[in-house]
């Protein structure tokens, strides 16, 4: 039998949640998904009728909730099978993109005509080429409204897919330390806006040391690796995590311990940590980490 020919009603899978372990039909898992424990995943499939151990690939890719499938769903490369499953936002918070897929980008901007005119003024003052702190200071001196309006400018330009202009505005905001653009950059990166050069936005989050982006950057490492095959932008995420707060460096540490990434990723994470003096060797050996630490490497705040 090939994997695609298995009767899914005959397949049982094991689900581990904290200290509890349960076995349930694969069909039940496929219908409900992981819910608020979004790093939970089905493992050890076996046949209900024969007890035979089955290959992991009997679980369809979209339903595996492993590092690869979560990255593909978050990047919008495969459709989330749980996007229409009820979600209790009040108690669980916003659903993660790794389970529900990219969020629709909020393109609404009040008084878009004024925003466009302000963008034209700022861009008219911006020089060609690299932007530094002195350049940003001069632009703010000539267009003082830019300081307060930078987030709405970023939203407007992303909504219109005006990516070249957005790159300039974001560089200016980064050089001027306008941290308020951080949440909008995160909205763009976790949404269906799909900027063509996401690495530029990642760099700005690092330059701003916007620590609230830590979980998103960890997710983007997986997306760049598994959905885009882009190790260069994955490393940019690691570099940004290294200059943020303690939560970011915890996530970076867990990535450095991971054994089922492409080899370069944990090596780069370790190098970034060594540069900050925060490198902590894994408490587990390679084989034991692969067997026991995979969930922690997938999600730093997993139970």
């Amino acid at each position: 039998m090939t994997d695609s020919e298995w009767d899914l009603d005959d397949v049982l899978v094991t689900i581990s949640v904290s200290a509890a372990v349960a076995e349930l039909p694969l069909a039940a898992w496929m219908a409900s998904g992981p819910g608020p424990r979004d790093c939970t995943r089905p493992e050890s499939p076996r046949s209900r009728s024969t007890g035979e151990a089955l290959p992991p690939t009997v679980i369809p890719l979209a339903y595996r909730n492993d590092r690869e499938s979560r990255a593909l769903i978050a990047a919008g490369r495969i459709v989330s099978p749980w996007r229409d499953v009820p979600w209790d936002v009040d108690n669980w918070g916003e659903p993660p993109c790794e389970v529900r897929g990219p969020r629709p980008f909020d393109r609404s901007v009040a008084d878009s005509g004024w925003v466009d005119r302000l963008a034209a003024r700022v861009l008219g003052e911006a020089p060609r080429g690299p932007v530094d702190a002195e350049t940003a200071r001069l632009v703010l001196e000539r267009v003082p409204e830019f300081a307060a309006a930078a987030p709405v400018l970023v939203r407007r330009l992303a909504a219109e897919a005006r990516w070249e202009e957005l790159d300039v505005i974001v560089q200016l905001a980064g050089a001027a330390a306008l941290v308020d653009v951080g949440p909008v950059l995160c909205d763009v990166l976790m949404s269906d806006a799909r900027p063509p050069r996401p690495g530029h936005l990642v760099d700005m989050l690092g330059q701003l040391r916007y620590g609230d982006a830590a979980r998103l950057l960890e997710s983007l490492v997986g997306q760049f690796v598994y959905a885009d095959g882009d190790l260069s932008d994955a490393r940019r995420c690691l570099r940004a995590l290294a200059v943020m707060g303690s939560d970011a460096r915890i996530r970076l540490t867990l990535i450095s311990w991971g054994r089922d990434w492409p080899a370069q990723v944990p090596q780069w994470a370790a190098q970034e940590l060594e540069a900050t003096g925060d490198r902590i060797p894994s408490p587990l050996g390679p084989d034991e980490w692969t067997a026991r630490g995979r969930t922690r490497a997938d999600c730093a705040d997993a139970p």
Side-chain angles (χ1 to χ4, degrees):
M1 254 184 167
T2 65
D3 295 339
S4 61
E5 293 173 326
W6 284 103
D7 177 4
L8 295 183
D9 290 331
D10 182 55
V11 178
L12 299 175
V13 292
T14 298
I15 306 294
S16 299
V17 179
S18 297
V21 178
E23 190 173 58
L24 72 158
L26 175 58
W29 164 266
M30 292 172 66
S32 62
R37 296 181 179 273
D38 62 279
C39 289
T40 306
R41 67 205 215 189
E43 298 181 291
S44 306
R46 70 179 183 90
S47 168
R48 183 205 306 263
S49 57
T50 67
E52 173 190 4
L54 303 176
T57 51
V58 74
I59 305 170
L61 175 61
Y63 295 91
R64 293 175 197 167
N65 208 35
D66 60 7
R67 184 174 285 146
E68 179 181 9
S69 70
R70 288 168 64 84
L72 293 170
I73 287 173
R77 299 302 177 84
I78 59 177
V79 176
S80 167
W82 300 300
R83 57 183 177 174
D84 297 323
V85 173
W87 185 274
D88 187 348
V89 174
D90 291 338
N91 291 316
W92 301 347
E94 289 295 324
C97 298
E98 296 91 340
V99 176
R100 307 282 281 203
R103 297 174 186 170
F105 183 59
D106 180 2
R107 290 170 166 80
S108 59
V109 171
D111 198 352
S112 58
W114 177 84
V115 175
D116 286 342
R117 290 192 293 275
L118 180 60
R121 287 176 59 200
V122 174
L123 292 165
E125 297 292 342
R128 296 183 181 276
V131 174
D132 57 19
E134 177 61 17
T135 301
R137 186 190 66 77
L138 291 173
V139 171
L140 283 169
E141 192 174 89
R142 294 166 185 165
V143 191
E145 304 97 315
F146 175 50
V152 75
L153 289 179
V154 172
R155 186 171 299 281
R156 173 63 174 170
L157 295 174
E160 297 285 301
R162 292 155 59 184
W163 303 116
E164 297 290 343
E165 296 172 48
L166 182 139
D167 279 349
V168 177
I169 294 293
V170 168
Q171 286 183 57
L172 285 168
L178 301 180
V179 180
D180 286 348
V181 304
V184 186
L185 296 179
C186 290
D187 284 350
V188 174
L189 286 166
M190 72 175 64
S191 76
D192 56 7
R194 310 309 299 165
R197 293 176 295 277
H200 292 193
L201 307 190
V202 168
D203 289 344
M204 286 305 106
L205 289 171
Q207 184 171 337
L208 293 168
R209 287 167 166 71
Y210 186 64
D212 287 350
R215 180 163 184 168
L216 169 62
L217 290 172
E218 181 188 26
S219 171
L220 287 173
V221 174
Q223 292 180 50
F224 288 138
V225 169
Y226 293 105
D228 301 329
D230 187 345
L231 290 177
S232 174
D233 275 355
R235 184 158 199 184
R236 292 168 102 152
C237 293
L238 302 175
R239 191 173 295 120
L241 284 167
V243 299
M244 294 180 179
S246 59
D247 177 53
R249 286 194 288 277
I250 288 170
R251 293 174 186 275
L252 191 57
T253 296
L254 294 170
I255 292 171
S256 76
W257 292 354
R259 303 292 177 177
D260 51 349
W261 287 102
Q264 301 97 316
V265 173
Q267 290 171 5
W268 289 336
Q271 290 168 9
E272 296 296 340
L273 288 164
E274 285 167 356
T276 67
D278 284 342
R279 174 76 189 280
I280 302 173
S282 168
L284 303 176
D287 295 338
E288 191 176 4
W289 181 253
T290 300
R292 294 174 51 198
R294 193 170 44 187
T295 300
R296 281 179 283 171
D298 281 340
C299 182
D301 57 356

